[in-house]
Amino acid sequence: MSEQNRQILLVSRPQGEATVDNFKLVETPLAPLEAGQVRVRNHYLSLDPYMRGRMNDTKSYAPPQPLNEVMIGGTAGEVVESNNPKFKPGDRVVGMFGWQEYGTSDGTLLKIVDDTHVPLSAYLGAVGMPGVTGWYGLNRIIEPKAGETVVVSAASGAVGGVVGQLAKAAGCRAVGIAGGEDKCRYVVESLGFDACVDYKAGNLYKDLKAQTPDGVDGYFENVGGEVLDAVLARMNPFGRIALCGMIAGYDGAPLPLKHPALMLTQRLKVQGFIVSEHMDVWPQALAELGGRVAQKKLHFRESLAIGLQSAPEAFLGLLKGRNFGKQLVKLI
Amino acid sequence: MSEQNRQILLVSRPQGEATVDNFKLVETPLAPLEAGQVRVRNHYLSLDPYMRGRMNDTKSYAPPQPLNEVMIGGTAGEVVESNNPKFKPGDRVVGMFGWQEYGTSDGTLLKIVDDTHVPLSAYLGAVGMPGVTGWYGLNRIIEPKAGETVVVSAASGAVGGVVGQLAKAAGCRAVGIAGGEDKCRYVVESLGFDACVDYKAGNLYKDLKAQTPDGVDGYFENVGGEVLDAVLARMNPFGRIALCGMIAGYDGAPLPLKHPALMLTQRLKVQGFIVSEHMDVWPQALAELGGRVAQKKLHFRESLAIGLQSAPEAFLGLLKGRNFGKQLVKLI
């Protein structure tokens, strides 16, 4: 009697907002391990905004998630069985097994990590793809100079938190934008930003202006829409905007940019990027991020949904900003 | 009895569209030349879209044109009197004397040019600020590679014509966008672009798609609005957009950008620039442009308005695309 693997499939594409009905939980027997293969029990699933784009069947930088297959995503877990000399049971590994309890592979894209000083889950956050995303946009696009002002939206999230803390370390004024008093307090008090603007308070531009008295030199964008309009109006000449995400428009109609001429009059550089296309920087970025986490100089927070079946609801909450810090599913 | 200088002043700021009533022609006696001064009889005034921005009293990259002063602008002419050892009567010079028949200065910003192989007026166009503008945006922002597709709007204009011809010389497919059949024919037949799309024909996106079968890698933007929306939708991954002008929005309400998320999904670099902030490239650019004009490898066309009094009307026409090639005023 083979063991069962529980998996979540994408079974339909959203019409407008994504819903839990787009997903389906199934149980599949685990096939015996073949030569060269390794089997991993996943402990954490990473939930990330980019997944929303993959649910659509439209032209984008990545092919769509196929229907009736396991939903994609980063995972962290432990090797439980191995026919591959590179892995042994007990190894902690990060991979891309998606929304399922067990992952089986030939070891490609599977990476052994050391959880002595860095918690396993952090390899899906500050010391993983979100951390490198923040590192790349800040260091390779914004290129902050000491004394400049750097703003980041979704500042309490996995990417935003890293951006602001690295900007502070670079000698900048770091200003976050987040939704709600709790998140803003956390961004300032726990993450050490100089200020955080609550976009839900209803005075986004005015509050942002008050917190950026010298204007904005670098902006790391995760949100788009009205938030982008507001920050654009505060940009200094020769400002740099790293476009990482536009979560505000993922579910519905495209959000226009109200005053694109500011990119010209302020001579801005606006650059979109996808961190997976810059693998050359990962080793340097991960070494720096891992070192900072181990030294407790880089802080983060996690929202844990418990059990595989909670993934769809937690993912939809992430799209609405209901998470607080890096959204994970802890598998039990 | 002193000689008279005829001048055009900006006397009011536009409310919406600029009109001829914003300008006033006056006659002023020429003061005797002081020590160190040089006097120039202007032969050509340059009319350029950037002047529209200077008419407003709003925050921009340059201070507004003061009211009741001579309207700014580039000029080409001939020294008629000199108390400055660097200049002698008969020298051909380009300067920034603005909309007037005579200019008087201490020689600062006045440059002697050689009109043996390059016509004097070209120093206000292909071998002047517009030419360097095209050179900079193409070479320093778009950085074209052979085989790529480069699109430029206002392709029959002073800047656009240079961009497309340099892109062709770099081994690219050069596609122009211009208004009307005559301009498009000129862009292809006289300037040597591979194709030109007539935005007035009513099928901008469809026609652009047909002429850019491999997508667009570099876009040089002079127009904004619907034209920018259309080209953005044709951009290839890692495309570069040099934002030089957005003339479509200069007179009225800000024109939104409909699908800013394309900058992210296509990982574009969008960069605004003002050529006067990059004086370091001018010598190299002017040497190359002057060489190409002298060798008859770089072609251009001029629209001449005759007489100082024609400047306001010609300038307003330029804003509506009524010029065909570089708009000048020939002083008589």
Side-chain angles (χ1 to χ4, degrees), chain B residues 276-289:
Chain B
S276 55
E277 292 172 337
H278 303 280
M279 296 310 296
D280 55 310
V281 310
W282 282 57
Q284 179 188 352
L286 288 175
E288 182 184 333
L289 294 163

Side-chain angles (χ1 to χ4, degrees), chain B residues 82-279:
Chain B
S82 178
N83 288 337
N84 183 318
K86 292 183 188 147
F87 301 91
K88 61 177 191 302
D91 282 347
R92 308 292 167 152
V93 289
V94 291
M96 284 294 290
F97 285 124
W99 297 11
Q100 56 184 338
E101 290 176 340
Y102 288 91
T104 305
S105 86
D106 64 0
T108 312
L109 297 180
L110 202 59
K111 191 179 141 197
I112 296 175
V113 295
D114 178 357
D115 65 349
T116 317
H117 300 290
V118 173
L120 180 60
S121 60
Y123 290 102
L124 298 177
V127 191
M129 185 272 286
V132 180
T133 299
W135 189 98
Y136 183 89
L138 185 74
N139 289 307
R140 295 301 166 93
I141 295 177
I142 294 175
E143 300 182 271
K145 289 181 270 298
E148 290 190 329
T149 296
V150 172
V151 174
V152 56
S153 57
S156 68
V159 175
V162 168
V163 171
Q165 291 177 83
L166 294 182
K168 274 301 286 181
C172 295
R173 176 173 174 83
V175 177
I177 300 174
E181 280 181 37
D182 286 351
K183 286 182 179 175
C184 279
R185 193 176 311 115
Y186 162 75
V187 164
V188 174
E189 294 181 3
S190 299
L191 299 185
F193 284 46
D194 295 286
C196 187
V197 174
D198 177 5
Y199 71 83
K200 291 184 176 170
N203 303 298
L204 175 57
Y205 179 76
K206 187 168 152 280
D207 293 347
L208 179 68
K209 187 174 177 185
Q211 296 299 346
T212 57
D214 300 324
V216 177
D217 304 292
Y219 179 46
F220 192 106
E221 176 61 298
N222 291 305
V223 171
E226 291 177 6
V227 176
L228 179 53
D229 284 327
V231 182
L232 199 58
R234 290 298 300 155
M235 293 301 292
N236 286 329
F238 311 109
R240 293 83 64 195
I241 299 181
L243 287 182
C244 170
M246 290 184 156
I247 197 169
Y250 287 1
D251 248 351
L255 293 169
L257 185 66
K258 283 192 187 136
H259 295 95
L262 287 168
M263 296 190 288
L264 169 58
T265 55
Q266 298 297 82
R267 294 86 88 204
L268 306 181
K269 180 178 80 170
V270 180
Q271 190 159 357
F273 75 104
I274 305 294
V275 75
S276 55
E277 292 172 337
H278 303 280
M279 296 310 296

Side-chain angles (χ1 to χ4, degrees), chain A residues 178-189 196-201 324:
Chain A
E181 281 181 35
D182 287 352
K183 287 182 179 175
C184 279
R185 192 178 311 114
Y186 161 74
V187 164
V188 173
E189 294 180 5
C196 187
V197 173
D198 177 5
Y199 72 83
K200 291 184 176 170
F324 191 162

